[in-house]
Amino acid sequence: MTSWYLGELLGWILLALALGAATVFSVLAYWKPRRLHLWLATGSLVVALIAAASLPSPAPLSIGVLTSAAAVAVAVFGGGPAAAVALDLAMGGSVRPGLHGGILVDARHREDAAGVRPAQREVLRGGRTIGVLERLATAGAIVAGFPEALAIVVAVKGVGRFTELEAPEARERFIIGTLASLIWAAAAGLVAHLVLR
């Protein structure tokens, strides 16, 4: 057995272990939010990226499909906790959550049907579901080698949320959460793209 073959085999083993760990910790971070799970998922994802970049040859189709499935799972499940931690670090809990998954902002220039101006309203509702779809589309675009699709994802999300972005705290939350989510999903998708190249 040559040293080159042994090195390639060790690279594949390292990739499998790191991507498996990233998948497990991403799912844990999604369902049982703890920063430790996210940090372990992040470290595992970095190791998987390095291992995938160092592999000299593309994977056989079966390994490529398994790698792609794991990378998409990491993207979808890990991106939400990554965005939540980024938002918490940036905003320090200064924005109150709403009842339906959004945030509460001052309702300036808004009146209900009776002409009463409410003190606060909830914006950015449904962010968790939108985030899952956004990360699925992002990772899929990267895996498929079509990064131009990211512009479409961002445009659709921006147009869909445009009317809710008048409050400064909503704009900040939208930008920080979207960027953190996209970066995570693109990194996870890149692992599979490197393996399939």
Side-chain angles (χ1 to χ4, degrees):
M1 188 179 294
T2 66
S3 62
W4 176 83
Y5 178 75
L6 184 60
E8 185 175 6
L9 179 63
L10 290 175
W12 284 109
I13 291 170
L14 179 62
L15 173 65
L17 292 174
L19 193 54
T23 304
V24 168
F25 289 122
S26 293
V27 171
L28 282 173
Y30 186 83
W31 292 111
K32 296 186 181 285
R34 291 192 182 95
R35 283 201 183 177
L36 177 62
H37 294 153
L38 179 63
W39 297 128
L40 292 170
T42 303
S44 301
L45 181 57
V46 168
V47 171
L49 268 168
I50 293 168
S54 68
L55 293 173
S57 58
L61 182 60
S62 59
I63 293 175
V65 169
L66 289 173
T67 302
S68 297
V72 169
V74 170
V76 168
F77 288 105
V85 168
L87 286 166
D88 189 45
L89 291 173
M91 306 190 96
S94 63
V95 178
R96 292 186 334 150
L99 294 175
H100 305 288
I103 62 169
L104 297 175
V105 298
D106 291 335
R108 299 179 202 115
H109 313 297
R110 299 257 180 197
E111 294 180 0
D112 64 10
V116 177
R117 186 176 290 173
Q120 291 188 320
R121 67 185 176 102
E122 188 173 357
V123 297
L124 302 178
R125 296 169 55 160
R128 188 172 186 158
T129 303
I130 292 168
V132 165
L133 295 172
E134 163 193 312
R135 291 186 296 276
L136 184 62
T138 299
I142 299 294
V143 169
F146 186 54
E148 296 84 3
L150 296 179
I152 297 168
V153 171
V154 173
V156 167
K157 187 173 181 183
V159 168
R161 291 290 199 191
F162 181 74
T163 59
E164 297 179 288
L165 299 178
E166 63 189 31
E169 58 267 38
R171 283 192 300 272
E172 292 168 2
R173 189 169 180 86
F174 177 81
I175 292 168
I176 293 166
T178 298
L179 287 177
S181 180
L182 287 173
I183 290 168
W184 182 274
L190 184 58
V191 171
H193 181 73
L194 290 170
V195 168
L196 294 170
R197 63 186 142 109

